[in-house]
Structure formats: C-alpha cells, structure tokens
Amino acid sequence: NNYETVVIVDGLMVDEIWDKIPAINDYVQEFPYNGEKTSFNTEVRMFYSETGIYIFARMHDDNPSLIQERLAKKDDLENGFLDSADWVMFSFDSRHDHQTGYLFAVNCSGIKADAMIFDDLDYDMEHNSVWYAETNIDEQGWTAEIYLPFSAFRVDSEINETWGFNSKRYIYHLNEIDSWINFSLETK
C-alpha cells in the first residue's frame, strides 16, 4: 500500500491515513515525577513507506495559551529546545545495537534539530540530514507532522528489520519531560 500520495507534511491531521493508524499514547513522566502519569496526553502515529517514516504527533495541552513558542536556528538546543520551548523528540536505533542511532526533534514553532547518537548517550550535533517537519498550535495543544526519508539514516546495506524507538516530549509551562520508554532515575 503506497501512502506517499496522500500524506502532505503540513502539521495537520487531515490525511485519511492517520485515522487508520493506532496511536502510541502510553507516555509516562520522566521528570519531575519519574514514572508518574503525565499531566497531558501525547499521541503519536507512525508508519513507514518504501522511502521513509511518517510521524504525526498530537501534544495535548489544557492551557494552549501557555505553550512556549521559540524561534532559533536549526540544532540550537539551548535557545530552541531543552527548557526554552515546548518540543517533541524521536530517536531511532536503526541498527538495534542499543549504542547508536538518530535523534530528530521539532519544537512547537517548527524549529528542527537532529543528531547522531553514539556510545548510547553521546550526541553528534554536526550530523545533519534532510527531513521535513511542520507544526501547528490549536485549542487542543499542538501537533507535529514529520517525514524522515530513509536517507536520513545511515543504514547498512542490509536493512535491519528491528529498530529501537523512543520519544520524549517537553511541556514548558510545567517543566515536565514525558517519555514513551521511561528509565528509572534511581541510582544503585
């Protein structure tokens, strides 16, 4: 089934395909209350075509007027992400080696950041690839629609069919980070 012709990356959930895809919505708080229920729901729908990965994310927010927009240069984590604006991030472990991967983030103003992950926790912000993202703020919160061509991932010639995936969302006015796969912050 070729969905390419029906998905226009515009930040709006108008393409019919999104209605057919179940949402990932079981995020939990990573910070400040690790493992607790999130303050607002996050719904992520995702599928892949022959050429890449499509993502539609709805970040619910009961106080959309408090969503923090921020313009910045691409990859400017300090001014466009971290604790500067509302954002959503997706990371892919295309080799499924739990050591390397790719990170793609977009803030609610449509500013993008991408990086290569190595040694599990280190980031190479110099890594840049071509990908597309559009965002929209509305009365329910904000949305992001993203297209990641497979060329954005340096994959081995033999594509690994099993990929690792995680996603995080930052809610600026609550200083809250929600994560799909949450790691306990407890130390031994």
Side-chain angles (χ1 to χ4, degrees):
N1 210 347
N2 187 352
Y3 299 126
E4 302 297 316
T5 54
V6 294
V7 174
I8 296 163
V9 177
D10 56 11
L12 305 173
M13 194 173 162
V14 292
D15 306 295
E16 286 180 20
I17 181 63
W18 295 126
D19 296 331
K20 300 174 182 148
I21 296 174
I24 297 168
N25 59 8
D26 50 348
Y27 283 60
V28 294
Q29 272 194 55
E30 183 174 298
F31 179 86
Y33 304 109
N34 190 273
E36 297 291 312
K37 186 178 181 329
T38 59
S39 297
F40 303 123
N41 197 14
T42 301
E43 298 173 58
V44 173
R45 290 172 169 81
M46 188 167 46
F47 71 90
Y48 66 92
S49 68
E50 289 178 16
T51 59
I53 298 169
Y54 290 88
I55 301 171
F56 186 88
R58 153 77 56 200
M59 282 59 66
H60 289 274
D61 196 317
D62 291 350
N63 304 296
S65 63
L66 298 179
I67 293 170
Q68 181 63 48
E69 298 181 71
R70 185 73 56 155
L71 294 175
K73 289 191 167 98
K74 182 179 182 290
D75 290 338
D76 186 345
L77 297 185
E78 185 125 349
N79 294 306
F81 296 89
L82 299 178
D83 56 4
S84 298
D86 282 81
W87 51 261
V88 64
M89 179 271 286
F90 304 96
S91 57
F92 294 88
D93 178 357
S94 54
R95 291 193 177 120
H96 206 244
D97 61 8
H98 304 282
Q99 293 295 310
T100 61
Y102 298 90
L103 177 154
F104 302 90
V106 64
N107 77 11
C108 62
S109 299
I111 303 301
K112 301 188 305 183
D114 58 3
M116 194 155 43
I117 304 165
F118 62 97
D119 295 340
D120 193 27
L121 294 170
D122 291 322
Y123 298 97
D124 175 6
M125 293 305 298
E126 296 301 308
H127 171 81
N128 288 303
S129 51
V130 176
W131 56 286
Y132 306 89
E134 293 292 337
T135 58
N136 185 55
I137 297 174
D138 60 26
E139 69 285 345
Q140 296 175 54
W142 68 284
T143 56
E145 194 167 32
I146 296 170
Y147 172 59
L148 305 169
F150 284 128
S151 58
F153 305 88
R154 287 195 195 115
V155 288
D156 300 329
S157 54
E158 278 192 35
I159 300 265
N160 186 343
E161 290 188 14
T162 304
W163 287 26
F165 171 77
N166 199 9
S167 173
K168 294 180 192 290
R169 172 206 182 167
Y170 180 67
I171 305 169
Y172 176 87
H173 63 92
L174 300 176
N175 193 28
E176 177 179 320
I177 299 173
D178 299 335
S179 189
W180 184 55
I181 297 174
N182 186 48
F183 297 98
S184 171
L185 298 178
E186 294 171 10
T187 53
K188 305 254 182 208

